[in-house]
Amino acid sequence: MPIDDEDFESESIGDDRQLQLFTDRHEFTRRFAFYLNEDPPREKILYFFGDGGNGKSLLLKHLQVNCCKRFSPQVWQQLRALPESQAAEVANFVREAKTYTPIPVVRHDFGLIPIKEDKPQDRFYGLLMLRRNLAEAANKYKFKFPNYDFACFWYLLNKGESDATLEQLFPDDVMELLTPVVETFAEFPVVAQAVAVLKGIDKLGGIKRAMKLIQKRLGVSDEKAEEIRRKDIDTELIDCLPKLFADDFNAAMAGKHKPERLVMLFDTHEKLWDEKRSFQGIKFWYQDEWFRRLLRALDWKAGIVVAVAGRDCPATQLRWPNASKFPIPEDYIDAQLVGHLFAAYARDYLHKVEIDKADLADAVIRYASLNSDDSWENLQVHPFYLGLCADVVLAERKRGIELLSSDFARIPKLEKKTEELTDLLLSYVDREVRSAVHSLSACRAFDEDLYIKLGAGCHFQASSANFEILTSFSFVWKEPQRGEKWYRIHDLLRRLDADRDNDKTRRAHKVLEGYYRELGNVAEAIYHANRLDWERGVDEWEEVFEEASRLSRYGECESLLAVRSELWIKSDFWLGRISNSEGDYYAHLARYAEAKQEYLEAVAAYDCELILTPDDEGTLNNKGNALRCLGDLQAQLTEFEDAKQSYSEAIAAFDSALVIAPDYITALGNKGIGLQRLGELQALLTERDRAELSYLEAIVAYNSALVIAPKDSRWLNNKGNALQGLGELQALIKKFDLAKLSYKEAIAAYDSALQIAPDDIGVLNKGNALQRLGELQALLSEFPDAKLSYKEAIAAYDSALQIAPDDSRWLSNKGGVLVQLGQLQVEVKEFDAAKQSYSEAIATCKSALLIAPDYNYALNNKGNALRCRGDLQAQLSESEFEAAKLSYKEAIASFDSALVIAPDYILALNSKGLALKSMGDLQAKLFNQQEALKNWQEALEMYNRSLAIAPNDDWARHRRDALQESLDYLGDDTVSS
């Protein structure tokens, strides 16, 4: 409601010393007041940019606390009539005004430390964090975000990756709507449950019905709900969320019960890049793409005011108007340089901190200036340096000593000023406080408990009194993301201690590394290890991250990713390695867009390294690996031409490495892998002659490697893989005898590798080759030979499991071949033996899942074994129909579990489609046409989802089209997409 004449007292800021001492910036306060009071609203983004330490963050806080005020038309007309030269008068009036309409304001800081689901930079969780904060800031208006909230809930149910509760993720008003619906279907209280467990309601067939009720309670139209559900989670819906958010926000601001203005403040925009600032083009603009999407979609005419703070000018340095996607035209940017303070305002600041002696104040101001030789009127005073000088004077005053102007007479060079000022300040404080400052600069954030811990480990006297002194300094900032009483040392000082390799700071890093290792917080320990020895820390990060990813410990992976942006990575070579590891992780979870971006960043990093060291064969080799991984991903997504290009560029990189070092065995072997992958793709595209040539060239590359290192089992193993691929191609073109020969040569290569390294379970791809040979023999009706090959494959996996009984990969592979053995036994009417094989396959996959519960490949293989058992039970007799239904249900549940972990996992989508089709067929036999139709429709949906990700997958398209044709024949109105 309008309250222009209401007396409104702003919140007390007595505890916020920095805000109390805020000085100058009158022109920015005046400009901000125009955005809030001028009608019609200005259609621009107010962007404050400038060097670090100039007070941009404090400016935003000042605008948030003191300036979000809308005045009556009469008052505003008087203020706007004052010329710009009287900006100080306008700013002071705004700050001190008591009669105004308060304007809701929300502040989003990209620089906050990510904690659990509060990830301000993340394109999903960052936006959801903004949604929660906006609901709190504008609570009295009860804004609704129906389409965005529905999309977020749908996204979370499909991803199922969050350990947060619904209550932690959504505002209270949304929870009031969602909780009763979900609990009805889940049959357990959901408010205290992690989002990941909610997938369990699908076992009761509840998700679709729950989503329908949620849709109605949120007020989402059928058309919009269907549009949201049809979007691919990772490649479409995630990109649409900023637009959905903005559209709902615009609608709320266009309603009757809404404020005249609503302010959104975004701080430390530069944190969306960090070490990726050197990237060019698409890779550079990708970093803040979700934010630009949001800004572009906001309706400024509705009264939404956005102010952003960052180091770079958005028009000239960030080049927003030139972005390849979602550019922001320069006409919509109001860029304001936040420079240094004039001398008069610096004097005002010193007056506020009670440094009033004229000669001392003048000396301090010149000391804190960029160029002390400038005239008084032209002095540019650095706010950060001024604050440090004031701290020096006040610290001595507390000891009963008044400093003189002569103490600031010797003015250091600008590049040494932070260093000398810090030393000067700390020379005047108690030794224990001085030690604490250097020690605490090692912390990403600290509270009093951690301060006490460091005192014990770093041998300084820690006390509550000293902690109070510490937290009163101008360079100590609150860290609200960690909690009410958490703090951090200003980045400039932390950087200074790091650059100087301060002994106390190093000691603190050692203490903190040990402390976090004792706590089991590996990610935080690695951060401190990295600060002690950047290469050791990065090397450990890569090793731990890759192991956690391999063992499906995804929570540990996310913790490592949370500190990754703060790691020192002082070479592009290492940056490429880390980006490649991240790409592998995202690809494993079917987060394809993120995987592709990381692989591109890896290639870009290696290219930067090659500018410095163009003849480094190791960098060329790694670039080739990154390109090959990118090609694998593109091939999976049926982006075939792009994949061919990536493979070709990978092979070229390996060739360049071999020109420099012809005997570089790793590049020879990797070239073979690249050629092999290219051959697999060419075979898929029926480019069979080219595929055969690629396989043969791969074998030549491996043979060349084996000439140099005949006892290297890696290349014997890879040679076997290439021969296996060649055999698959020959089987495809019906050269069956040649295919058998290739499979047998592959098995011989694996056997040779095993003679060299019998404990190297990596070479036990022999099981795969025997499995493929068995498939070919079964196809040729050579059933006894096929059965023998399958059993030998199982024996190979058993050998691997004797070496590594807890390796979930080999257990899962063994489960896969047991399924194929069961299918063969069904073919030759050995039904009891087939049942036994399927049961063993299920048990084997369960064993794999006991070791790695989130191993999606094992979940998929378990589902396939259950589906095949169901097919056999449905085939045998009516008495087993109920058992078959149970098998299908368990199979679908297993595929669903895989899709919770990786919602876009193509293999699981297609496998679930097969299981739903089989379930529908069985229900049709039982004359349950309605249930049959429902399962056929769901199977169709699975194939459509798979084809949305990989549109050129002929296998899925054939099954989708055949099923669609059957449904059309039944008169159903399902439409193929």
Side-chain angles (χ1 to χ4, degrees), residues 37 61 159 207 212 253-254 269 337 345 402 427 485 533 552 566 590 632 636 698 730 795 804 823 835 930 934 936:
N37 289 277
K61 194 167 187 181
K159 295 295 286 186
I207 280 184
K212 187 66 178 177
M253 287 294 289
H269 182 209
L337 174 63
Y345 296 120
E402 287 290 339
S427 70
K485 295 183 179 180
D533 178 346
S552 306
E566 295 194 54
D632 290 346
Q636 188 178 0
Q730 292 163 332
Q823 289 172 319
K835 281 185 182 179
Q930 186 174 358
K934 176 187 171 185
W936 289 332

Side-chain angles (χ1 to χ4, degrees), residues 361 505 524 609 701 787 949:
T505 307
E524 200 70 34
E609 182 71 19
K787 192 183 298 184
I949 301 162

Side-chain angles (χ1 to χ4, degrees), residues 633-649:
L633 177 64
Q634 291 163 329
Q636 188 178 0
L637 298 175
T638 68
E639 298 171 0
F640 297 133
E641 291 306 314
D642 289 341
K644 277 200 278 188
Q645 180 67 26
S646 295
Y647 288 141
S648 298
E649 290 180 13

Side-chain angles (χ1 to χ4, degrees), residues 790-802:
Y790 285 142
K791 289 184 176 180
E792 288 181 0
I794 293 166
Y797 292 130
D798 283 337
S799 297
L801 289 165
Q802 286 178 2

